[in-house]
Amino acid sequence: MKVLKHWVLAFVMATAPLGAPMAVLANPAAPADNATYADVTPQYILVNGDLRTGVSLSGPWHWSLDPYRDGLYDFHGKPHDPTKGRAMDISVADAMAKNPNALFEHDIHRAPVTQVPGSWIGYDPETRHYDGLMWYLKTFDAPARSGKRVFLRFGAADYRADVYLNGRKVGSHEGGFTPFSFEVTDILRDKDNNLIVAVDSKRSADTVPPTITDWETYGGITRDVRLVITPQTFVDDDFIRLTKDGRFAVDVALEGAGKAGTAVEVAIPALKLTLKGTTDAHGRVSLSAAAPKSLKRWSPDTPVLYDVTVKAGDDTVSDRIGFRTIEVRGADILLNGEPIYLRGISLHEEEFGTSPQRIITQSAARALLGEIKYGLNGNYVRLSHYPHSEVMTRMADEMGLLVWSEVPVYWTVKFDSPTVLKAAQRMQAENILRDRNRASIIIWSIGNETPISDARNSFYTAMAQHARAIDGTRLVSAALLSHRQIVDGRIDITIDDPIVSELDVLAVNTYNGWYGNDKIEDVPNTVWHSASGKPLLLSEFGADAQYGHFDADHHSRFSEDYQVDFYNGTLAMADKIPFLRGMSPWILKDFRSPRRQTTWQEGWNRKGLVSETGQRKRAFFVLSEYYRKKAAEH
Ligand code: GCU
């Protein structure tokens, strides 16, 4: 369903407590107009696709390596049709039975089996550092589905995925961290479906992120795979939020032949509120109603979620949604109209433990976010540097943690490439459309530590405008580098990145005292300058320390003593920045990075405040105490 901008204002009926004014909304948050963003908007949004009626296809899948991409190209590099080879709709055994003389040099139906979701770096010592093409096979019988439509939904596959069902290509996707769906209604059969997925983790100068990052590449089908079953006409998208003027605003978009002129009901039973309307010719309706006085607004201290249902025709979509407002006023960030300080930490998508896996279950998410909220006295988490699983963002809603959500425009993306911009915007659209009903998310980040250039500035500007076009209710930011010099013997930092004008909140990664030659003792006297008058977040700062390694005499690098000094110095600096409104130090947990190979690191970035298995380092308590005091102040 390609969205159309020009709404025919639908007939609106809302039942709300007596006397509550009703309004017909100009639709601020309709996905951006078709022309501009048509080719970066997913064909099917399938809002709440992770919870909708359907069946999970996760579990045992066959896997088969293809380092030379034989399944896609012949020995002269000429593309060939995988549906005649690795993605054919028959097992090699059956094909051989039909033609005993046939030669096959792959046999995925008899290949090793692994669990999906998961990354192949954890399957087998042989694939620990594999970076390339992998074929997956899932055979399954279809669920009952008469008269329904069926979609294949992937939570994520890193990096590029080509999907085949029963010998037919159903689609491709680029980007390792966002959901994608294909309709398979007409391809599915009752028995023995052959679902084959080619996942290629290989990145390049043209990918987002590019080849080099400071995190491990977890190639594979890394999140849940589901068959989502819908009526012929269904709720493809809904955006339900509280506006700054204390009203509920709702946009619903239907997909299917019967999308026009269909009655829509959005109910919040706990508030005795039902909004009713009828879709326009494009299957869209915008509804609004005053929020009743009984509404309990969502906040980290009171993470109240309401059951909300959207009914349209034969379809019903349910969700648990919190209602809050977020905005900037001068140098303040206001949550529900009140200034807030973001007591945060950064996090990579890796559960506690040493197995090279990236499977975020509810318990893994609860453990990580619990360490932030209850261990560090935090109220905020930067989910870096890519969209984390919806399990994590839903858990943040439930537990009460504010979230910075980011797309992997990281370091040296090819900013002068329109194709790369489209790929980044597609990831942004998939991320925002997946999560814009999550109350916890307050900031959409458009990137991290990218070198300033005209091409980069236009790229970022396009990303900021796109984010606002899809969701004008949240703040836009980016993790910037800053302009550092020595003035009168003191470290002097100016935030003068040309992209500042496009951002609602400034954010700077600062590592003085770890990278560069500054001594830790010079850090507290650092002076920060920003002419923008906007709020600042320290989006990163940190120092590596191996858990249990102490050096009381010299406080040498990689010792916990050094890390404590670094935190004390940086927090003292932070206290002197008048426009600072929060921070997300780098990082909660030691994480895998192939770039880190000292004896202290052994393939881990050790800037965590806890080790990979959850052991708290001394600096953990420095930050926890700092946040306890901060919380008491606010
Ligand atoms: C950078 C970067 C992180 C990296 C960190 C580090 O700022 O954003 O991805 O891991 O610094 O050097 O540890």
Side-chain angles (χ1 to χ4, degrees), residues 214 385 410 448-449 511 515 540 586 591 596 605 607:
D214 189 31
H385 292 293
Y410 184 91
N448 180 76
E449 288 192 353
Y511 282 91
Y515 295 124
E540 288 183 34
W586 194 257
F591 63 94
R596 313 292 172 170
N605 183 312
K607 293 190 181 69

Side-chain angles (χ1 to χ4, degrees), residues 566-585:
F566 180 93
Y567 268 78
N568 285 330
T570 308
L571 295 174
M573 171 194 78
D575 283 342
K576 296 180 189 149
I577 308 174
F579 44 90
L580 188 68
R581 294 295 179 273
M583 55 178 65
S584 52

Side-chain angles (χ1 to χ4, degrees), residues 94-163:
D94 293 351
M96 296 288 292
K98 283 197 185 136
N99 172 4
N101 195 32
L103 168 62
F104 292 96
E105 298 192 280
H106 56 82
D107 187 352
I108 194 158
H109 286 74
R110 286 186 285 208
V113 171
T114 185
Q115 287 299 313
V116 161
S119 167
W120 60 63
I121 69 168
Y123 293 172
D124 185 296
E126 282 204 10
T127 56
R128 170 66 189 85
H129 292 293
Y130 181 61
D131 185 12
L133 181 61
M134 179 75 84
W135 293 86
Y136 286 91
L137 164 74
K138 178 76 176 177
T139 53
F140 63 94
D141 296 341
R145 61 201 187 287
S146 72
K148 303 277 185 182
R149 297 173 70 175
V150 185
F151 297 84
L152 201 46
R153 181 185 189 267
F154 292 79
D158 199 353
Y159 177 77
R160 198 187 305 277
D162 294 314
V163 180

Side-chain angles (χ1 to χ4, degrees), residues 177-419:
F177 306 99
T178 44
F180 53 99
S181 304
F182 306 115
E183 179 158 19
V184 292
T185 310
D186 305 333
I187 307 174
L188 212 54
R189 55 183 175 232
D190 294 347
K191 295 265 174 237
D192 304 323
N193 288 282
N194 278 316
L195 172 58
I196 292 182
V197 186
V199 179
D200 196 336
S201 63
K202 202 82 190 153
R203 296 196 302 272
S204 69
D206 297 297
T207 58
V208 181
T211 310
I212 308 295
T213 68
D214 189 31
W215 68 82
E216 183 78 62
T217 299
Y218 287 88
I221 301 175
T222 50
R223 295 182 191 151
D224 204 18
V225 185
R226 307 189 72 237
L227 280 178
V228 176
I229 302 168
T230 74
Q232 286 300 322
T233 297
F234 62 92
V235 178
D236 186 42
D237 189 19
D238 62 40
F239 185 21
I240 305 165
R241 68 267 185 214
L242 186 68
T243 57
K244 291 182 196 121
D245 56 3
R247 299 183 62 79
F248 284 119
V250 177
D251 298 302
V252 175
L254 306 186
E255 163 60 33
K259 66 184 179 186
T262 295
V264 171
E265 250 186 51
V266 178
I268 313 177
L271 296 173
K272 300 188 181 52
L273 185 70
T274 303
L275 296 86
K276 295 182 181 175
T278 305
T279 54
D280 63 18
H282 307 291
R284 307 191 133 255
V285 65
S286 293
L287 309 170
S288 142
K293 295 222 169 357
S294 57
L295 171 71
K296 293 193 184 61
R297 292 191 179 213
W298 185 97
S299 76
D301 297 336
T302 56
V304 178
L305 299 177
Y306 287 89
D307 290 316
V308 180
T309 58
V310 178
K311 276 197 185 66
D314 302 333
D315 198 18
T316 299
V317 174
S318 309
D319 200 354
R320 287 172 53 71
I321 299 178
F323 297 102
R324 53 100 190 98
T325 62
I326 189 76
E327 58 197 301
V328 160
R329 188 179 56 206
D332 285 332
I333 299 174
L334 307 183
L335 176 70
N336 296 325
E338 296 299 320
I340 189 161
Y341 187 95
L342 304 181
R343 307 185 312 271
I345 193 94
S346 295
L347 185 66
H348 261 298
E349 187 175 45
E350 253 179 21
E351 69 267 35
F352 283 119
T354 55
S355 82
Q357 260 317 341
R358 156 180 285 160
I359 305 169
I360 299 296
T361 58
Q362 290 205 339
S363 59
R366 198 179 292 284
L368 291 161
L369 299 184
E371 190 64 338
I372 300 171
K373 185 159 180 129
Y374 307 113
L376 285 174
N377 300 310
N379 63 3
Y380 168 61
V381 59
R382 176 187 176 196
L383 300 180
S384 40
H385 292 293
Y386 38 76
H388 287 217
S389 158
E390 54 228 318
V391 173
M392 187 73 88
T393 50
R394 288 187 185 282
M395 190 58 72
D397 268 18
E398 192 190 312
M399 293 178 69
L401 275 167
L402 296 159
V403 168
W404 158 301
S405 172
E406 185 162 283
V407 281
V409 176
Y410 184 91
W411 289 350
T412 55
V413 161
K414 195 184 266 181
F415 295 111
D416 56 4
S417 158
T419 316

